[in-house]
Amino acid sequence: MKLAIVGVGKMGKSILEGLLRAEILEPSDIGILDTPARMQEVAHATGVNPLRLEDLRRCERILLSVQPKDLAALAPQVAHPNVGYISIMAGVSTAVLSRRLGTRRVVRCMPNLAATIGKSSTAITGPREAEEAGDLEFTRALFATVGDVYELPERLFDAFTGMSASAPAYVALVAEALADGGVKQGIPRAQALQLAADVLIATGELLRRKHPAVLKDEVSSPGGTTIYGLAALEARGVRAALMEAVEAATLRGHELGKDE
């Protein structure tokens, strides 16, 4: 078995589907471990193999797609020599992974929810042993199937988590607030939600081509509607609130790592 995925919830299943879409591995080369009902459902839909814990010792690599709080109990059950590990657990460092799993062949990754539509930004890092064993190269290819991959020093991982991995929730809050504003001014709810989604998608594409300040200035004509709206946002401290959200999420990432 070339890859086992432990945990095929929303994120684990998205990574599996991206992997199969890109045809990096055949379904017969992939195993999954989860609750019996979940394994049966996903295996039936994708053609991959349901596994038992004892099957993991025969896998080349294991992707850990579980909650950080589950690591302490799970690690003794999945730790095997000559296996490489890929983790998407927020806040869990490569040092902790190595200590819990008894190997330096560990790669730490942080995708975001956009992996479910192939648009994730994923940070990866790993020690020399993971590079030499080909685990980092495999991980790059794996997460490239669900979006863009960024190799970052591990000291920046919690900041990446606080900004990129958590950002879909921040932006969803902005979208909901924009829609509420539209409804307050008389736009029907369904239409307001669609308008908010459309403008965020379009703005994202524009931001790939222009600096945010340039885009903001292009929309803001002298004495016009936009500059009045921006003034209201600045008065409410929206910019500072978003910066504080990234900081708070980053600090929580530090705390999750300390728990381990």
Side-chain angles (χ1 to χ4, degrees), residues 2-54:
K2 293 184 178 179
L3 179 68
I5 302 178
V6 178
V8 281
K10 188 173 293 184
M11 189 62 72
K13 186 167 181 280
S14 296
I15 296 166
L16 170 61
E17 289 171 344
L19 186 61
L20 294 174
R21 232 179 1 255
E23 299 182 344
I24 291 178
L25 296 177
E26 295 294 326
S28 58
D29 291 326
I30 304 170
I32 56 173
L33 183 65
D34 207 309
T35 63
R38 185 63 176 162
M39 280 195 295
Q40 183 178 8
E41 176 190 344
V42 175
H44 178 75
T46 61
V48 301
N49 306 285
L51 300 177
R52 299 166 299 176
L53 273 171
E54 54 265 35

Side-chain angles (χ1 to χ4, degrees), residues 4 7 21 23 28-29 31 54 73 75 79 91 93 104 107 134 138 165 185-186 212 215 225 228 235:
R21 232 179 1 255
E23 299 182 344
S28 58
D29 291 326
E54 54 265 35
S93 69
R104 292 279 293 167
V107 182
F138 177 85
Q185 300 307 314
L215 178 57
T225 59
Y228 272 73

Side-chain angles (χ1 to χ4, degrees), residues 11 87-92 108-112 120-125 143 148 150 157-158 160-162 164-166:
M11 189 62 72
S87 164
I88 64 170
M89 292 179 285
V92 181
R108 180 182 177 185
C109 310
M110 182 46 59
N112 65 26
S120 178
S121 295
T122 302
I124 68 171
T125 193
F143 284 94
D148 298 324
Y150 300 86
F157 253 65
D158 289 335
F160 181 92
T161 301
S164 181
S166 299

Side-chain angles (χ1 to χ4, degrees), residues 39-260:
M39 280 195 295
Q40 183 178 8
E41 176 190 344
V42 175
H44 178 75
T46 61
V48 301
N49 306 285
L51 300 177
R52 299 166 299 176
L53 273 171
E54 54 265 35
D55 296 326
L56 296 178
R57 69 180 64 251
R58 297 184 287 105
C59 298
E60 291 182 22
R61 296 182 176 91
I62 297 173
L63 170 64
L64 298 174
S65 177
V66 297
Q67 294 296 317
K69 62 181 177 61
D70 298 328
L71 178 61
L74 181 67
Q77 302 179 70
V78 302
H80 299 290
N82 304 316
V83 173
Y85 295 87
I86 302 165
S87 164
I88 64 170
M89 292 179 285
V92 181
S93 69
T94 55
V96 169
L97 291 169
S98 295
R99 175 167 55 84
R100 292 287 192 187
L101 298 167
T103 179
R104 292 279 293 167
R105 284 185 58 191
V106 294
V107 182
R108 180 182 177 185
C109 310
M110 182 46 59
N112 65 26
L113 186 62
T116 59
I117 57 170
K119 297 289 186 180
S120 178
S121 295
T122 302
I124 68 171
T125 193
R128 175 177 50 83
E129 291 84 351
E131 180 76 72
E132 292 174 349
D135 300 322
L136 267 172
E137 182 180 1
F138 177 85
T139 303
R140 290 186 202 104
L142 173 61
F143 284 94
T145 68
V146 292
D148 298 324
V149 178
Y150 300 86
E151 291 190 52
L152 291 182
E154 191 162 18
R155 61 184 175 80
L156 295 179
F157 253 65
D158 289 335
F160 181 92
T161 301
M163 179 188 167
S164 181
S166 299
Y170 310 156
V171 177
L173 190 66
V174 170
E176 186 178 40
L178 285 171
D180 285 345
V183 171
K184 185 178 180 182
Q185 300 307 314
I187 299 174
R189 170 67 65 181
Q191 190 173 20
L193 287 168
Q194 185 61 55
L195 286 169
D198 288 346
V199 74
L200 289 175
I201 291 168
T203 302
E205 289 299 318
L206 288 167
L207 288 171
R208 288 184 176 273
R209 307 171 195 178
K210 301 180 180 183
H211 189 280
V214 172
L215 178 57
K216 175 178 66 69
D217 288 349
E218 287 181 352
V219 181
S220 304
S221 56
T225 59
T226 303
I227 195 64
Y228 272 73
L230 286 170
L233 291 174
E234 294 289 3
R236 291 291 186 176
V238 170
R239 185 194 301 261
L242 287 170
M243 292 171 66
E244 289 178 13
V246 173
E247 182 178 7
T250 299
L251 292 174
R252 179 55 181 157
H254 293 332
E255 291 171 359
L256 289 172
K258 288 178 181 176
D259 288 346
E260 283 298 325

